[in-house]
Amino acid sequence: MYLNYPLPSASADGPHCQGAFGRHVPAAGNQEYVSWLANLLREVERNPQDLHPVLGEFERLIETNPRIYMLLQSMLHEAQECRLGVEQNVDMDDYHKLLQVLNHIITHAPPWSDDHPGVPMLVLLRFSMPTVSGYAFFQDPEVNKLIKKTLDAWADYLSSPESAGVLNTSTTGWFSAGALRRLTGTANIGGDGFEFGELYICNPDAPHYGFKSWDDFFTRRFREGVRPVAFPDDDSVIVNPCESQPFALARQVKFRDSFWIKGKAYSLSDMLGNTFVTPFLDGTVYQGYLDTFSYHRWHSPVSGRIVKSYVLDGTYFSTPEALNVNPPNKDPGNEIPYQGYLAAMATRAVILIEAENPEIGLMAFLAIGMAEISTCEISVCEGDYLRKGDELGMFHYGGSSHCLIFQNGVNITGFPEIGGGKNIPVRGQLAIVTPMEVDGFQLV
């Protein structure tokens, strides 16, 4: 889906640069990201590699299509002007260099580092996306197609045995002391003191803890009993489908709303792809956010039957709200303002469930990929009956977001504090549904 925005003239404002969406790129950003990108550039310059075939194809498109070449060169020039004074150690004004950095990213699994972003491509392109030329470049169908192929190539690598090389106990390994403290600290909700091997199914004595690839590690499963289903026999209790922080709660959602301007409203037709929209008009949307260190499988919030499931493809690196790159691990209380936008523009899986509880009826679960982290795998089929807490599917390769959508008339209360910055456990209590009341009488 492509949206038309008025394009104001580009302007500079001291250390800020205003791009196609009238938004300002943060002047300092996260200094950890600046250091990470500068170090990555130095590593790439010291060890240039042959381009992956898909990036070779990208290079040929740039060099044989004058329109794409012009847009890319203009984008890099505009981005470099924005970057000056903000990332002094980062020089990204040449498309050959850009392709080399992308080549490094898609041929390596992320090492453990306090500085490493969960979305390296988004950080690499954060000054390019808001420019007038960048908006046109990333919205181009040929470019978007090759970006998708680039992401698929990275996904292939992260599913390969070679990607397990970072799953070790070295200082840059995911089983180093620092990494394990972070992983267990995230998973030990409520101050539990479980070790990694007590939380997740693995074998600490085996190479790579028994994980076959980076993605195998990323989609790891909790051990039996670690995340029990809250009130499994009470259909009035809705459980959290993902291990996530509360992000937003919206009532009276509309068929179409200007979510891309306000960054607050939800637009059902864009979220659901014009399918099964009518039942949810004027209903309720709850959204949660997952970080890179969390558990990334989805579970059914209610008992019921799968009515329909489908995946909607999104656009890549063309979401204006995604410019606010603010990793939740640095300040858990920070709002992640682009999450609402991603609910309608990113790749997302939609699962419609007819709940066993008639007070809920038809509801929708959305699994939302984020930027380059956009693979959503559905593991249930239409017609399947699920008990509350059963698995629905999983994210691959990085942190993401999710939504629950309820119909108008569903009296759902008790949601956790929005913006509280703390994970709500997957399969733990999220909300309660009760019969509607009119003038003190329950509607039955």
Side-chain angles (χ1 to χ4, degrees):
M1 178 184 65
Y2 301 101
L3 302 176
N4 294 317
Y5 290 85
L7 301 182
S9 57
S11 62
D13 174 16
H16 294 71
C17 232
Q18 183 165 327
F21 308 102
R23 296 185 60 86
H24 287 88
V25 176
N30 294 92
Q31 289 304 313
E32 295 87 352
Y33 283 3
V34 176
S35 300
W36 170 83
L37 187 53
N39 290 334
L40 178 59
L41 277 170
R42 285 193 291 269
E43 182 175 349
V44 169
E45 289 171 353
R46 286 195 300 265
N47 301 288
Q49 302 292 324
D50 292 337
L51 292 180
H52 186 283
V54 71
L55 291 176
E57 186 179 349
F58 216 144
E59 185 178 52
R60 289 190 293 275
L61 173 67
I62 295 167
E63 295 176 347
T64 59
N65 188 314
R67 175 177 53 83
I68 298 297
Y69 176 83
M70 177 190 69
L71 286 174
L72 178 56
Q73 289 293 96
S74 179
M75 176 189 79
L76 293 175
H77 176 71
E78 293 170 30
Q80 193 64 21
E81 287 185 344
C82 296
R83 184 176 281 114
L84 292 176
V86 178
E87 295 179 345
Q88 296 92 337
N89 297 324
V90 177
D91 181 11
M92 187 61 65
D93 58 355
D94 175 78
Y95 74 86
H96 294 290
K97 186 180 297 183
L98 176 64
L99 291 175
Q100 278 288 335
V101 176
L102 287 172
N103 192 66
H104 181 91
I105 291 173
I106 70 170
T107 55
H108 290 78
W112 160 255
S113 168
D114 283 327
D115 298 342
H116 195 286
V119 282
M121 294 187 198
L122 187 61
V123 173
L124 174 66
L125 299 169
R126 65 178 176 159
F127 287 95
S128 300
M129 293 185 300
T131 64
V132 174
S133 300
Y135 178 70
F137 178 77
F138 288 116
Q139 287 284 15
D140 186 275
E142 290 185 85
V143 171
N144 209 248
K145 180 180 177 181
L146 277 175
I147 290 175
K148 176 63 165 62
K149 292 179 71 172
T150 301
L151 298 178
D152 287 343
W154 193 25
D156 289 342
Y157 179 81
L158 294 176
S159 298
S160 71
E162 290 78 10
S163 68
V166 296
L167 304 179
N168 58 55
T169 59
S170 72
T171 56
T172 58
W174 282 88
F175 299 123
S176 63
L180 286 175
R181 278 195 301 270
R182 183 61 185 278
L183 292 166
T184 56
T186 300
N188 279 314
I189 298 174
D192 295 329
F194 294 113
E195 300 293 333
F196 185 89
E198 296 173 314
L199 289 162
Y200 296 105
I201 298 173
C202 63
N203 181 1
D205 296 324
H208 315 304
Y209 273 50
F211 295 109
K212 299 176 182 178
S213 66
W214 160 260
D215 185 57
D216 190 32
F217 161 72
F218 184 80
T219 58
R220 59 193 176 273
R221 297 176 183 270
F222 280 121
R223 291 194 182 276
E224 186 69 27
V226 170
R227 289 293 187 267
V229 179
F231 303 97
D233 300 319
D234 186 348
D235 286 338
S236 68
V237 175
I238 296 167
V239 299
N240 200 20
C242 300
E243 188 105 344
S244 56
Q245 299 175 19
F247 168 71
L249 178 65
R251 310 279 188 178
Q252 300 294 306
V253 291
K254 305 302 180 185
F255 178 84
R256 185 177 292 276
D257 209 331
S258 53
F259 64 91
W260 51 83
I261 296 173
K262 299 177 184 177
K264 296 179 181 178
Y266 288 89
S267 183
L268 289 171
S269 62
D270 298 298
M271 296 170 73
L272 299 173
N274 289 317
T275 302
F276 288 90
V277 172
T278 302
F280 300 108
L281 294 179
D282 295 316
T284 298
V285 173
Y286 168 83
Q287 187 169 1
Y289 170 80
L290 296 78
D291 69 26
T292 306
F293 304 96
S294 294
Y295 172 82
H296 282 87
R297 292 175 181 264
W298 329 322
H299 293 260
S300 183
V302 296
S303 295
R305 194 169 300 281
I306 304 299
V307 174
K308 191 173 181 63
S309 62
Y310 52 97
V311 174
L312 295 168
D313 287 331
T315 56
Y316 306 95
F317 306 115
S318 57
T319 56
E321 293 293 348
L323 304 177
N324 298 295
V325 181
N326 221 350
N329 54 298
K330 297 301 177 185
D331 183 358
N334 280 348
E335 182 180 2
I336 315 296
Y338 56 85
Q339 293 297 329
Y341 189 92
L342 292 177
M345 288 296 288
T347 297
R348 55 215 180 273
V350 181
I351 301 176
L352 296 162
I353 307 170
E354 183 67 36
E356 185 80 10
N357 186 344
E359 296 294 337
I360 301 172
L362 184 69
M363 65 167 295
F365 165 78
L366 268 69
I368 306 161
M370 186 172 71
E372 66 252 45
I373 307 160
S374 52
T375 299
C376 300
E377 180 186 347
I378 297 172
S379 59
V380 293
C381 299
E382 295 174 22
D384 286 353
Y385 181 84
L386 301 177
R387 297 296 303 170
K388 182 167 59 176
D390 286 351
E391 188 173 307
L392 294 172
M394 70 197 79
F395 292 115
H396 293 270
Y397 319 121
S400 303
S401 188
H402 70 91
C403 287
L404 294 178
I405 308 177
F406 301 91
Q407 297 181 76
N408 180 30
V410 176
N411 188 29
I412 183 167
T413 59
F415 285 105
E417 177 188 0
I418 301 302
K422 295 181 179 179
N423 271 350
I424 306 300
V426 65
R427 308 205 298 183
Q429 180 174 324
L430 181 70
I432 297 174
V433 63
T434 56
M436 292 290 290
E437 291 189 0
V438 177
D439 296 329
F441 295 94
Q442 288 189 344
L443 295 180
V444 294

